[in-house]
Amino acid sequence: MSVTTSPEATTTPSSAPRETPSITRSAAAARERTAVLEDLIARNPGEYRVLTGDRPTGALHLGHLLGTVANRVRLQDLGVEVFLIVADYQVITDRDDAGDLPVTVREVLLDYLAAGLDPERSTVFTHSAVPALNQLLLPFLSLVTVAELERNPTVKAEAEAALLRQKRGISGLLFTYPVHQAADILFCHGNLVPVGVDQLPHLEITRTIARRFNQRYAAAQPYFPEPDALIAPSTTVLGDDGRRMSKSRGNALELRASEDETAAFFRRARTDADRVITYEPERRPDIANLLQIGAYFSGTTPEALADEMGAAGAGRLKAVVTEAVVEGLRPLRARRRELAAAGPRHLAEILARGNARANAIADRTLDDVRGLMGMRY
């Protein structure tokens, strides 16, 4: 059986470092591997292709920037090829109403561009615009068992949350989300995925699918890479109520917020009664959160900022953090206003180019998969 393989599809898997070991679910092992990967990326960024993205459920907030977006820009600027998916299909995994998706997708795209993602160097596309990507879900589903999906901790957590919100079971789309994520990563032969420790089980399913596909259909020459986990240098950002920042909780500071809204957000932020400022994430999570945010925008460390604050108290800390965030986000917000003023056509053109490139790659990958499976007629 002959297989027509595109240059796009072959260069990335074959150029992935052969010494890459299998990741485990151990956070410690993943962090150790990440240190090795960072060195490899610095020396050979062109050998890596990253797939990452977000569900378009609203404009991005401070937690997105510190948690993922800044790291994506960093990888892009290092020379890593970044694919960024606006996962519109995933909006309906756990809700009946997807909202005004065209508006939300534009807002997310504005945030991406304003934060420094360059459409000339990174590919931004939407789930629903790439049919061949989604067709990979069918053969991939045959490579995993129901029990494996049921054991996935994120699926379990989302199932419990959906039941609490909607008083019903989860949708089939949510149940198979890890497999859909595998299709997202493997359609472009992604070999590096920035994740948090809690997302390692998702990536392990992707690696399992890639390995089983290769064993079953491409034993002589493996077709899909088994992507590595890059533990992102990120932190969990808390909202003004002390819980993890989330638009759905109404506790988030959007990147597009005004300076007055930013100041009001930090005035509301929770602290504690101890006047001496110390960086103790376990004992003083609210103070630690402010220190982490302030340190990020000040170019220092939470420990150094805590030492600087000393016994100045939480009020002074809030003022310092507010100033750092306002100044740090000023260029991003100015760029966002410029992009918004250019009108929706400019954004539509950027997304159309990204969708076209993603489609070209997905079409070739799906054709290769059909060939390997003996399904070319």
Side-chain angles (χ1 to χ4, degrees), residues 64-321:
H64 290 116
L65 180 65
L66 273 63
T68 56
V69 176
N71 191 45
R72 296 167 187 170
V73 175
R74 179 184 73 90
L75 291 169
Q76 168 196 268
D77 292 346
L78 284 172
V80 174
E81 187 176 15
V82 176
F83 281 72
L84 193 55
I85 186 167
V86 183
D88 53 348
Y89 272 156
Q90 295 303 334
V91 175
I92 57 174
T93 56
D94 58 354
R95 62 190 69 197
D96 296 327
D97 183 4
D100 192 339
L101 275 175
V103 169
T104 305
V105 169
R106 283 197 297 271
E107 291 298 309
V108 170
L109 184 55
L110 280 171
D111 287 327
Y112 283 162
L113 300 175
L117 286 159
D118 181 356
E120 299 302 320
R121 293 181 289 165
S122 297
T123 302
V124 185
F125 66 100
T126 54
H127 240 160
S128 60
V130 189
L133 182 167
N134 298 297
Q135 285 194 46
L136 290 173
L137 186 64
L138 294 176
F140 285 2
L141 280 170
S142 73
L143 299 171
V144 293
T145 67
V146 170
E148 286 171 321
L149 293 176
E150 286 177 334
R151 286 196 298 268
N152 184 276
T154 306
V155 169
K156 283 195 221 177
E158 290 291 343
E160 291 170 1
L163 189 60
L164 287 173
R165 284 194 305 269
Q166 302 172 348
K167 307 300 181 186
R168 69 180 190 191
I170 65 171
S171 70
L173 182 56
L174 179 54
F175 184 70
T176 58
Y177 168 72
V179 184
H180 207 159
Q181 187 179 63
D184 297 342
I185 296 166
L186 296 177
F187 96 94
C188 65
H189 292 260
N191 59 3
L192 190 67
V193 184
V195 294
V197 170
D198 60 338
Q199 296 170 309
L200 286 173
H202 272 323
L203 187 58
E204 195 60 36
I205 285 184
T206 297
R207 290 171 57 82
T208 296
I209 288 171
R211 183 167 57 254
R212 289 175 182 170
F213 182 92
N214 292 337
Q215 290 170 345
R216 189 174 298 182
Y217 301 112
Q221 183 177 354
Y223 180 70
F224 286 118
E226 294 182 35
D228 245 319
L230 187 73
I231 303 300
S234 62
T235 184
T236 297
V237 179
L238 304 182
D240 55 13
D241 60 356
R243 297 184 297 168
R244 183 170 184 162
M245 188 174 287
S246 168
K247 186 175 179 66
S248 64
R249 294 190 178 112
N251 66 353
L253 175 66
E254 293 184 344
L255 297 180
R256 64 183 180 181
S258 69
E259 293 183 8
D260 287 344
E261 289 169 334
T262 302
F265 173 86
F266 285 109
R267 282 197 299 271
R268 294 192 303 268
R270 291 179 52 176
T271 57
D272 58 37
D274 193 339
R275 185 166 185 81
V276 177
I277 302 301
T278 58
Y279 182 62
E280 301 176 76
E282 295 297 325
R283 189 174 76 87
R284 307 180 70 186
D286 299 313
I287 293 295
N289 179 62
L290 289 171
L291 288 168
Q292 288 167 344
I293 294 170
Y296 173 85
F297 286 102
S298 302
T300 184
T301 65
E303 293 86 353
L305 183 55
D307 290 342
E308 181 185 332
M309 290 293 99
R316 176 58 182 160
L317 175 61
K318 287 184 176 185
V320 168
V321 172

Side-chain angles (χ1 to χ4, degrees), residues 320-336:
V320 168
V321 172
T322 299
E323 182 179 359
V325 173
V326 166
E327 290 304 315
L329 289 180
R330 194 185 300 280
L332 182 154
R333 287 166 170 169
R335 173 66 174 153
R336 197 183 195 284

